[in-house]
Amino acid sequence: MASGERPGEFEFIRRYLAPLSSEGGFALTDDAAELIAGEGWVVTSDMMIAGRHFLANDPLESIAQKALRANLSDLASKGAEPVHYMLSLALPDDFSEADMAALASGLAEDQTRYGVKLLGGDTTATNGPLTLSITALGNRPDKGMVRRNGAHAGDRLYVTGRIGEAWLGLQALQGRIQGKWAGQKAAYRQPEPPVALAAYLSGLASAALDISDGLLADAGHIARQSGKRLEVDLSLMPVSEQARRWIDADDAPDDRLLDLATGGDDYQILFAAPPFAEDAIAYAADQTGIGITRIGRVSEGEGVNATGRNGPVSAVRAGFTHF
Ligand SMILES: [Mg+2]
């Protein structure tokens, strides 16, 4: 990020952020925003810090998009379609006007893509790393948001998309694995949460969450909140062709499956649903073009039981935690 002349705080807001604003955001000219009517809101918040949640040299367009999409992922997993977001930024002193423009253009692209608009927020300078905090609001589904605590014994477990792609991308970006891994690097920088599934999810799922800390760690959250055991078959876990070859090439494929199931940053949805929902799930997958794969079941008990190609695998490696 080159330093030099850059707009002041209010000029930055006027020039780059106000064009992104919602109707109730008053072009970011007032102290607060106004939300009118609606059937209720689902609200979520996510903060991202350079060097921790993204690489400091990632493109600013994708950094902004990753911060926004992490929130859209949370909303989607609750069955809520995104509408508004609040953005708070701490910009390093060497953050240039070109950096500001890049950040705003990433957001503008995603606003069009996902149908969301900026409602407000805060900006400040910092002598620390670039920090973005986003709070997103989505329409509350008629039956209320899909909780983590509703899984029943006998339910089936499903995941969207592919698991472990972002983790592989990060390994490649940091030079820990060889090869091109272009799709995986993109998955790390610009996750694609299954936002279109939100409209169907509250009618299908008994429990759901988005996978940000790793499949097995997040499965543990559903198990704990629902008071049930989740049985996950990692050999059924959806992975890309390139990931499949990487697993097959290893003497201990179950270790590689475990890497992918504990890596995190997937921003896919893990959900439980009763057996009779199977046709409706297939229909939702067909309508949205989102891949949905059955990977296990819910039973009485507690915790997460993971099996690989060669039987039970040790899941002592927990997922990502911040502290
Ligand atoms: Mg989440």
Side-chain angles (χ1 to χ4, degrees), residues 197-256:
L197 192 64
Y200 299 86
L201 202 66
S202 74
L204 301 173
S206 54
L209 47 53
D210 73 319
I211 305 167
S212 52
D213 299 336
L215 171 63
L216 293 182
D218 284 315
H221 296 315
I222 289 184
R224 196 169 312 110
Q225 296 303 322
S226 296
K228 295 287 180 283
R229 181 199 304 278
L230 266 57
E231 298 178 20
V232 179
D233 186 344
L234 297 182
S235 71
L236 300 178
M237 187 169 66
V239 300
S240 62
E241 261 317 302
Q242 200 177 352
R244 172 89 53 207
R245 287 196 295 275
W246 175 79
I247 297 163
D248 291 343
D250 201 283
D251 293 339
D254 284 349
D255 285 355
R256 300 288 79 84

XYZ file of all heavy atoms in Angstrom, residues 197-256:
447
model
N -29.144 -20.443 -1.156
C -29.827 -21.517 -0.430
C -30.676 -20.972 0.720
O -31.584 -21.661 1.213
C -28.798 -22.526 0.111
C -29.366 -23.841 0.633
C -30.039 -24.641 -0.487
C -28.268 -24.672 1.288
N -30.407 -19.739 1.141
C -31.095 -19.164 2.307
C -32.612 -19.265 2.172
O -33.307 -19.599 3.127
C -30.676 -17.714 2.515
N -33.117 -19.009 0.983
C -34.567 -18.985 0.776
C -35.205 -20.345 1.032
O -36.392 -20.435 1.320
C -34.881 -18.531 -0.649
N -34.439 -21.419 0.935
C -34.971 -22.776 1.102
C -34.693 -23.361 2.485
O -35.368 -24.269 2.922
C -34.349 -23.718 0.055
C -34.643 -23.321 -1.366
C -33.832 -22.405 -2.032
C -35.745 -23.853 -2.035
C -34.107 -22.029 -3.337
C -36.020 -23.486 -3.337
C -35.203 -22.569 -3.979
O -35.479 -22.196 -5.263
N -33.637 -22.828 3.138
C -33.075 -23.532 4.296
C -34.033 -23.685 5.479
O -34.093 -24.744 6.100
C -31.773 -22.850 4.746
C -30.845 -23.740 5.558
C -30.298 -24.878 4.705
C -29.699 -22.917 6.138
N -34.802 -22.621 5.776
C -35.639 -22.705 6.976
C -36.760 -23.724 6.793
O -37.303 -24.233 7.767
C -36.184 -21.332 7.372
O -37.207 -20.952 6.485
N -37.088 -24.060 5.550
C -38.090 -25.092 5.298
C -37.520 -26.506 5.323
O -38.271 -27.475 5.284
N -36.194 -26.615 5.350
C -35.548 -27.927 5.228
C -34.845 -28.372 6.498
O -34.922 -29.538 6.887
C -34.464 -27.879 4.134
C -34.847 -27.508 2.721
C -33.581 -27.376 1.881
C -35.761 -28.577 2.154
N -34.102 -27.429 7.086
C -33.105 -27.813 8.085
C -33.661 -27.775 9.497
O -34.416 -26.874 9.865
C -31.896 -26.886 7.984
N -33.265 -28.748 10.315
C -33.605 -28.734 11.738
C -32.556 -27.960 12.531
O -32.832 -27.416 13.592
C -33.707 -30.165 12.269
O -32.522 -30.886 11.987
N -31.310 -27.908 11.993
C -30.221 -27.149 12.612
C -29.217 -26.814 11.518
O -29.078 -27.574 10.562
C -29.537 -27.963 13.708
N -28.536 -25.684 11.658
C -27.557 -25.305 10.636
C -26.571 -24.294 11.195
O -26.858 -23.588 12.164
C -28.253 -24.710 9.409
N -25.396 -24.247 10.574
C -24.442 -23.157 10.805
C -23.528 -23.073 9.606
O -23.548 -23.954 8.734
C -23.640 -23.345 12.106
C -22.983 -24.671 12.457
C -22.099 -25.220 11.387
C -22.199 -24.518 13.749
N -22.754 -21.997 9.551
C -21.788 -21.923 8.461
C -20.442 -22.429 8.964
O -20.126 -22.335 10.155
C -21.679 -20.502 7.872
C -20.956 -19.537 8.782
O -21.184 -19.587 10.000
O -20.160 -18.727 8.275
N -19.687 -23.030 8.048
C -18.414 -23.648 8.421
C -17.306 -22.621 8.249
O -16.894 -22.310 7.136
C -18.134 -24.883 7.540
C -19.313 -25.859 7.626
C -16.839 -25.561 7.976
C -19.260 -26.946 6.565
N -16.862 -22.058 9.366
C -15.771 -21.088 9.304
C -14.553 -21.573 10.078
O -13.423 -21.247 9.736
C -16.226 -19.725 9.830
O -16.810 -19.859 11.108
N -14.777 -22.392 11.104
C -13.658 -22.855 11.944
C -13.176 -24.253 11.566
O -12.250 -24.769 12.192
C -14.084 -22.859 13.418
C -14.462 -21.473 13.911
O -13.978 -20.487 13.310
O -15.233 -21.372 14.869
N -13.777 -24.863 10.563
C -13.470 -26.243 10.188
C -14.714 -27.102 10.356
O -15.459 -26.927 11.324
N -14.917 -28.034 9.422
C -16.133 -28.866 9.428
C -16.359 -29.565 10.766
O -17.459 -29.536 11.315
C -16.031 -29.915 8.303
C -17.099 -31.008 8.282
C -18.489 -30.422 8.059
C -16.785 -32.037 7.193
N -15.315 -30.197 11.317
C -15.524 -30.984 12.536
C -15.755 -30.099 13.758
O -16.570 -30.427 14.626
C -14.347 -31.938 12.767
C -14.214 -33.043 11.716
C -13.047 -33.962 12.044
C -15.505 -33.850 11.587
N -15.040 -28.986 13.834
C -15.249 -28.063 14.957
C -16.666 -27.495 14.914
O -17.355 -27.417 15.945
C -14.228 -26.938 14.912
N -17.110 -27.129 13.719
C -18.455 -26.561 13.617
C -19.532 -27.627 13.826
O -20.587 -27.342 14.390
C -18.608 -25.807 12.303
C -17.896 -24.448 12.362
O -18.063 -23.752 13.376
O -17.167 -24.099 11.415
N -19.244 -28.867 13.397
C -20.166 -29.970 13.702
C -20.311 -30.101 15.218
O -21.404 -30.361 15.734
C -19.657 -31.278 13.093
N -19.207 -29.890 15.931
C -19.233 -29.950 17.394
C -20.164 -28.913 17.992
O -20.794 -29.157 19.029
N -20.266 -27.747 17.336
C -21.178 -26.706 17.847
C -22.638 -27.157 17.742
O -23.433 -26.911 18.645
C -20.993 -25.399 17.077
C -19.632 -24.791 17.244
N -19.015 -24.680 18.468
C -18.769 -24.254 16.351
C -17.830 -24.105 18.321
N -17.657 -23.844 17.038
N -22.986 -27.802 16.630
C -24.364 -28.306 16.495
C -24.604 -29.425 17.506
O -25.649 -29.473 18.163
C -24.637 -28.807 15.053
C -24.719 -27.608 14.094
C -25.942 -29.620 15.001
C -25.080 -27.977 12.665
N -23.615 -30.329 17.654
C -23.763 -31.441 18.595
C -24.023 -30.913 20.009
O -24.943 -31.352 20.702
C -22.511 -32.317 18.578
N -23.219 -29.941 20.428
C -23.330 -29.406 21.775
C -24.668 -28.706 21.983
O -25.366 -28.938 22.969
C -22.174 -28.439 22.049
C -21.973 -28.109 23.522
C -20.652 -27.366 23.756
N -19.542 -28.018 23.084
C -18.889 -27.536 22.026
N -19.218 -26.370 21.521
N -17.899 -28.205 21.471
N -25.017 -27.834 21.036
C -26.248 -27.047 21.214
C -27.497 -27.906 21.092
O -28.529 -27.582 21.662
C -26.288 -25.897 20.202
C -25.177 -24.856 20.389
C -25.179 -24.251 21.781
O -26.229 -24.006 22.355
N -24.000 -24.036 22.345
N -27.418 -28.994 20.301
C -28.587 -29.852 20.113
C -28.645 -30.971 21.134
O -29.660 -31.668 21.238
C -28.579 -30.460 18.697
O -28.694 -29.453 17.706
N -27.542 -31.206 21.862
C -27.500 -32.311 22.810
C -27.544 -33.668 22.114
O -28.175 -34.606 22.609
N -26.877 -33.778 20.968
C -26.869 -35.011 20.181
C -25.439 -35.320 19.733
O -24.530 -34.509 19.891
C -27.756 -34.843 18.932
C -29.232 -34.644 19.247
C -29.884 -35.932 19.720
C -31.368 -35.749 20.034
N -31.610 -35.083 21.329
N -25.259 -36.533 19.140
C -23.978 -36.894 18.542
C -24.066 -36.716 17.024
O -25.074 -37.080 16.417
C -23.637 -38.347 18.860
C -22.290 -38.789 18.286
C -22.177 -40.304 18.215
N -22.398 -40.968 19.481
C -21.467 -41.108 20.438
N -20.247 -40.672 20.229
N -21.757 -41.725 21.565
N -23.017 -36.136 16.444
C -22.969 -36.027 14.989
C -21.961 -37.036 14.454
O -20.809 -37.075 14.908
C -22.584 -34.597 14.551
C -23.785 -33.677 14.250
C -24.707 -33.570 15.455
C -23.331 -32.302 13.801
N -22.409 -37.886 13.534
C -21.536 -38.882 12.919
C -21.217 -38.429 11.505
O -22.111 -38.323 10.667
C -22.230 -40.248 12.930
C -22.507 -40.717 14.360
C -23.241 -42.045 14.415
O -23.197 -42.773 13.416
O -23.855 -42.318 15.462
N -19.923 -38.130 11.287
C -19.502 -37.546 10.008
C -18.588 -38.530 9.284
O -17.592 -38.990 9.843
C -18.751 -36.211 10.238
C -18.294 -35.623 8.914
C -19.631 -35.221 10.995
N -18.947 -38.869 8.053
C -18.130 -39.764 7.240
C -17.274 -38.929 6.282
O -17.765 -38.418 5.280
C -19.039 -40.718 6.456
C -18.242 -41.769 5.691
O -17.018 -41.581 5.527
O -18.850 -42.768 5.258
N -15.997 -38.774 6.643
C -15.130 -37.890 5.857
C -14.875 -38.422 4.446
O -14.492 -37.666 3.555
C -13.795 -37.679 6.578
C -13.890 -36.983 7.946
C -12.501 -36.788 8.531
C -14.626 -35.664 7.841
N -15.096 -39.722 4.238
C -14.896 -40.258 2.885
C -16.009 -39.782 1.937
O -15.882 -39.883 0.725
C -14.825 -41.790 2.910
O -16.098 -42.336 3.182
N -17.097 -39.258 2.508
C -18.183 -38.704 1.681
C -18.040 -37.197 1.473
O -18.807 -36.586 0.726
C -19.541 -38.975 2.346
C -19.926 -40.430 2.593
C -21.274 -40.508 3.305
C -19.978 -41.194 1.267
N -17.082 -36.589 2.177
C -16.919 -35.127 2.150
C -16.635 -34.651 0.719
O -15.740 -35.167 0.062
C -15.756 -34.769 3.076
C -15.546 -33.299 3.302
S -14.348 -33.062 4.655
C -12.846 -33.728 3.920
N -17.405 -33.677 0.226
C -17.194 -33.206 -1.143
C -15.885 -32.411 -1.274
O -15.660 -31.451 -0.537
C -18.407 -32.297 -1.391
C -18.831 -31.839 -0.025
C -18.510 -32.967 0.901
N -15.021 -32.856 -2.185
C -13.743 -32.158 -2.427
C -13.543 -32.010 -3.929
O -14.174 -32.725 -4.715
C -12.538 -32.911 -1.809
C -12.694 -33.050 -0.293
C -12.366 -34.277 -2.445
N -12.671 -31.095 -4.314
C -12.401 -30.883 -5.738
C -11.573 -32.040 -6.289
O -10.974 -32.814 -5.538
C -11.646 -29.569 -5.932
O -10.396 -29.632 -5.257
N -11.504 -32.125 -7.600
C -10.687 -33.152 -8.255
C -9.228 -33.041 -7.832
O -8.555 -34.037 -7.571
C -10.786 -33.012 -9.787
C -11.754 -33.978 -10.423
C -11.656 -35.398 -9.863
O -10.558 -35.990 -9.937
O -12.658 -35.915 -9.333
N -8.744 -31.798 -7.782
C -7.333 -31.583 -7.421
C -7.071 -32.021 -5.977
O -6.040 -32.628 -5.682
C -6.955 -30.112 -7.617
C -5.456 -29.911 -7.746
C -5.084 -28.465 -8.018
O -5.937 -27.615 -8.251
N -3.794 -28.182 -7.998
N -8.024 -31.726 -5.104
C -7.893 -32.155 -3.705
C -7.938 -33.681 -3.621
O -7.187 -34.290 -2.860
C -9.005 -31.541 -2.865
N -8.813 -34.287 -4.413
C -8.927 -35.748 -4.431
C -7.579 -36.380 -4.800
O -7.128 -37.338 -4.167
C -10.013 -36.154 -5.442
C -10.121 -37.638 -5.718
C -11.057 -38.355 -4.779
N -12.371 -37.721 -4.739
C -13.196 -37.777 -3.680
N -12.802 -38.403 -2.584
N -14.373 -37.197 -3.710
N -6.910 -35.820 -5.823
C -5.610 -36.376 -6.237
C -4.573 -36.197 -5.131
O -3.728 -37.071 -4.891
C -5.127 -35.701 -7.539
C -5.917 -36.153 -8.773
C -5.180 -35.775 -10.053
N -5.063 -34.326 -10.231
C -6.021 -33.576 -10.796
N -7.132 -34.131 -11.244
N -5.856 -32.279 -10.905
N -4.636 -35.039 -4.448
C -3.708 -34.752 -3.344
C -3.915 -35.747 -2.203
O -2.947 -36.222 -1.597
C -3.943 -33.314 -2.899
C -3.169 -32.851 -1.710
C -1.857 -32.450 -1.677
C -3.662 -32.718 -0.366
N -1.517 -32.089 -0.408
C -2.599 -32.233 0.418
C -4.903 -32.950 0.236
C -2.736 -31.976 1.785
C -5.041 -32.705 1.593
C -3.963 -32.225 2.345
N -5.158 -36.090 -1.926
C -5.460 -37.083 -0.878
C -4.966 -38.462 -1.306
O -4.297 -39.164 -0.534
C -6.987 -37.151 -0.616
C -7.513 -35.816 -0.074
C -7.330 -38.293 0.351
C -9.024 -35.662 -0.172
N -5.283 -38.835 -2.551
C -4.940 -40.177 -3.049
C -3.437 -40.411 -3.083
O -2.976 -41.550 -2.964
C -5.518 -40.398 -4.453
C -7.041 -40.505 -4.429
O -7.596 -40.735 -3.330
O -7.666 -40.353 -5.495
N -2.666 -39.330 -3.279
C -1.210 -39.463 -3.418
C -0.529 -39.721 -2.076
O 0.661 -40.006 -2.026
C -0.636 -38.204 -4.060
N -1.286 -39.601 -0.984
C -0.674 -39.710 0.339
C -0.813 -41.125 0.903
O -1.814 -41.800 0.668
C -1.347 -38.713 1.289
C -0.479 -38.385 2.481
O -0.405 -39.216 3.413
O 0.128 -37.293 2.468
N 0.202 -41.562 1.644
C 0.164 -42.884 2.282
C -0.909 -42.949 3.364
O -1.368 -44.031 3.725
C 1.514 -43.202 2.955
C 2.598 -43.376 1.919
O 2.260 -43.646 0.756
O 3.784 -43.225 2.287
N -1.241 -41.794 3.921
C -2.230 -41.740 5.011
C -3.376 -40.808 4.594
O -3.483 -39.687 5.086
C -1.569 -41.242 6.289
N -4.221 -41.295 3.663
C -5.281 -40.415 3.137
C -6.210 -39.868 4.215
O -6.712 -38.746 4.076
C -6.033 -41.312 2.145
C -5.617 -42.709 2.443
C -4.255 -42.636 3.051
N -6.417 -40.641 5.287
C -7.320 -40.143 6.333
C -6.753 -38.915 7.053
O -7.509 -38.060 7.517
C -7.641 -41.252 7.339
C -8.648 -42.255 6.755
O -9.223 -41.953 5.695
O -8.846 -43.318 7.370
N -5.407 -38.836 7.127
C -4.802 -37.618 7.690
C -5.101 -36.407 6.801
O -5.312 -35.298 7.294
C -3.281 -37.775 7.823
C -2.904 -38.665 9.002
O -3.817 -39.068 9.753
O -1.705 -38.960 9.156
N -5.062 -36.638 5.490
C -5.347 -35.541 4.569
C -6.823 -35.133 4.644
O -7.147 -33.952 4.609
C -4.979 -35.943 3.141
C -3.522 -36.316 2.938
C -2.603 -35.088 2.999
N -2.326 -34.641 4.368
C -1.381 -35.146 5.157
N -0.597 -36.091 4.695
N -1.191 -34.694 6.373
